[in-house]
Amino acid sequence: MKKVLLIHPWIEDFSAYDFWIKPLGLLAVGTVLKEAGYDVALIDCVDRAGLGAPDKRYGAGKIPGVSIPKPAALAKIPRHFKRFGMDDTSFEAKLHAFGRPDLVLITCMMTYWYRGAFRAIRRVRDAYPGVAVGLGGNYVSLCLPHARRHSGADFFFPEKSWAAIAGRLARTLGAAHLAARPAPTVIDFGFYPKLKSVALVTSRGCPYRCTYCAAARLYPTFSQDEPAAVAAAIASYAAKYGVRDMAFFDDAFLVGATRHCHRILEGVIQTRQGRENLRFHLPNAVHAGAITDRTAALMFDTGFKTVRLGLESSAPGFHADRSSRKITRRAFARAAVTLQAAGFTAAELGAYVLYGLPGLTPASVLETLEAVHAAGLRSCLATYSPVPGTADFERVARKNPLVRKEPLLHNQHLCCHENPATYQQVRDRANTLNHALMAGLPRTGAEEGD
């Protein structure tokens, strides 16, 4: 029996918070290989449950880390740089306990987290010389030339389509039958000895073309899973693993709501069978313009505890120029009222506000914070990261061509330190408004980590 080892590597960054993250692409591959009879194991270096890290917010929380030397590209940021996740002794023990694999597959989610993936590749090379190593994830999809030049991997998974992934696996393992296997409808989360939460993706891509987002590049065609299959998978996860928290990571969960998310949530409500304690989360921004009375009522009845709206900016003309007119200030305010009427409070609701995007002035960011507060929502500051392949990345690259060659320069903390005093002013104002909004509400832990 051939052995395949999956690795979700360390994160090397200034901070790392686990909002229910799971390497779903890697787990999907592992599920198919396991079902096909392969001996498959996972080393998830940033799995907080496995690390024994405490929860702060509905099964989410900080990932433990240790300080390491700061890379030269980020030397000007006056913060400690850390490696978050498993210690080396534990990693080596897990690596050797599995034995020599026939294939190692490693993922890398963010472009500026590649150092953790490279480190995992080096550790595998040291332990098992000659073993084939494949590298995938958003880093490879967006920075393939960099990965080919510097990672040390043998082959790559730049495409996001399941057909391309399955075909690469079939060729690598010399097993033609793998190319015909469909993507799994139910992910095997049994790779985790301790499981506190489940991540869900029910669609791929986004019909909008925001100038700061790579969703359309990663998935040129927008597609959605069959709602009944999603509801059945959720029921399966609840019954099999006993988890309470499940997070949807779609880029466009509410698009076509009546034929997609409504049917999923109706299916969840019908199949709960006494599992009313399930909690659902939307850490990715959802389109406020798609919030209707029915959508809000279903979300509340299903048990959503984290709902984030994508406002980004209330500046005049912003959404006409930068986000395909996906939202207006009036529609945002209407969505807030609708969600509140359904029963949601500021403990569950928030709106993402962009800071550092080229062309957005600090004054406009402060104005957006006030608009979010006036709507009765908490502001969740989202610092800008230049994403290759987007129009705003090109704006950044014209000023700093090095951003094309060094993915570390995509780090979202960089924009905070271009003008530290201004960023601190914005952050302080967001905190003041949020604290005022939360005053008098019961403390549920929902405000932690935002």
Side-chain angles (χ1 to χ4, degrees), residues 1 26 58 64 87 104 167 216-217 237 252 273 303 358 390 398 407 433-434 446:
M1 181 187 297
L26 195 65
Y58 296 137
D87 63 84
V104 176
R217 179 182 174 187
Y237 299 145
Q273 299 175 350
T390 64
R398 283 195 288 271
L433 294 173
N434 288 346

Side-chain angles (χ1 to χ4, degrees), residues 59 67 75 84 92 120 141 151 185 204 212 217 273 282 327 342 355 358 360 417:
S67 293
F84 295 92
E92 297 295 336
S141 298
S151 70
T185 55
R204 283 129 201 101
Y212 42 85
R217 179 182 174 187
Q273 299 175 350
L282 288 165
I327 187 62
Y355 177 87
L360 274 186
H417 297 280

Side-chain angles (χ1 to χ4, degrees), residues 195-198 235-246 275 277-278:
L195 187 67
K196 290 188 176 182
S197 64
V198 162
S236 172
Y237 299 145
K240 186 173 183 179
Y241 303 113
V243 295
R244 291 193 65 188
D245 294 287
M246 300 191 189
R275 292 185 290 273
N277 62 344
L278 290 181

Side-chain angles (χ1 to χ4, degrees), residues 383-397:
T383 47
Y384 171 67
S385 169
V387 183
T390 64
D392 283 307
F393 178 88
E394 294 304 318
R395 291 185 175 95
V396 173

Side-chain angles (χ1 to χ4, degrees), residues 29-262:
V29 169
T31 299
V32 166
L33 291 176
K34 192 173 178 180
E35 291 174 349
Y38 290 83
D39 183 7
V40 186
L42 168 72
I43 301 177
D44 190 335
C45 294
V46 293
D47 171 38
R48 287 189 319 103
L51 297 172
D55 295 339
K56 279 200 170 183
R57 179 182 188 269
Y58 296 137
K62 293 182 179 179
I63 302 172
V66 295
S67 293
I68 60 174
K70 197 181 306 180
L74 303 176
K76 293 183 179 180
I77 297 183
R79 295 186 60 177
H80 291 294
F81 195 71
K82 294 184 177 182
R83 178 179 303 118
F84 295 92
M86 186 178 295
D87 63 84
D88 286 348
T89 300
S90 298
F91 180 83
E92 297 295 336
K94 290 179 179 293
L95 187 61
H96 289 285
F98 184 60
R100 183 180 178 86
D102 297 284
L103 174 65
V104 176
L105 300 176
I106 300 173
T107 189
C108 184
M109 291 186 180
M110 307 298 289
T111 59
Y112 49 88
W113 288 350
Y114 71 82
R115 283 166 50 107
F118 287 12
R119 190 170 193 267
I121 293 171
R122 293 195 299 271
R123 292 293 187 274
V124 169
R125 296 289 191 217
D126 290 343
Y128 300 115
V131 168
V133 177
L135 181 62
N138 289 343
Y139 159 67
V140 171
S141 298
L142 297 172
C143 301
L144 182 58
H146 185 273
R148 282 178 169 159
R149 283 195 301 268
H150 303 292
S151 70
D154 297 300
F155 58 95
F156 305 91
F157 292 85
E159 304 91 350
K160 291 292 187 180
S161 76
W162 179 257
I165 293 170
R168 169 66 70 181
L169 287 172
R171 293 190 296 274
T172 302
L173 290 167
H177 64 92
L178 288 176
R181 295 187 74 95
T185 55
V186 178
I187 297 295
D188 188 344
F189 287 99
F191 290 110
Y192 291 93
K194 299 177 183 178
L195 187 67
K196 290 188 176 182
S197 64
V198 162
L200 305 162
V201 173
T202 74
S203 62
R204 283 129 201 101
C206 179
Y208 296 98
R209 296 295 184 267
C210 298
T211 59
Y212 42 85
C213 176
R217 179 182 174 187
L218 293 171
Y219 299 95
T221 302
F222 178 60
S223 64
Q224 295 174 309
D225 294 340
E226 206 284 314
V230 176
I234 291 171
S236 172
Y237 299 145
K240 186 173 183 179
Y241 303 113
V243 295
R244 291 193 65 188
D245 294 287
M246 300 191 189
F248 291 89
F249 284 91
D250 299 59
D251 289 304
F253 184 62
L254 300 185
V255 168
T258 57
R259 65 177 183 274
H260 185 65
C261 85
H262 286 191

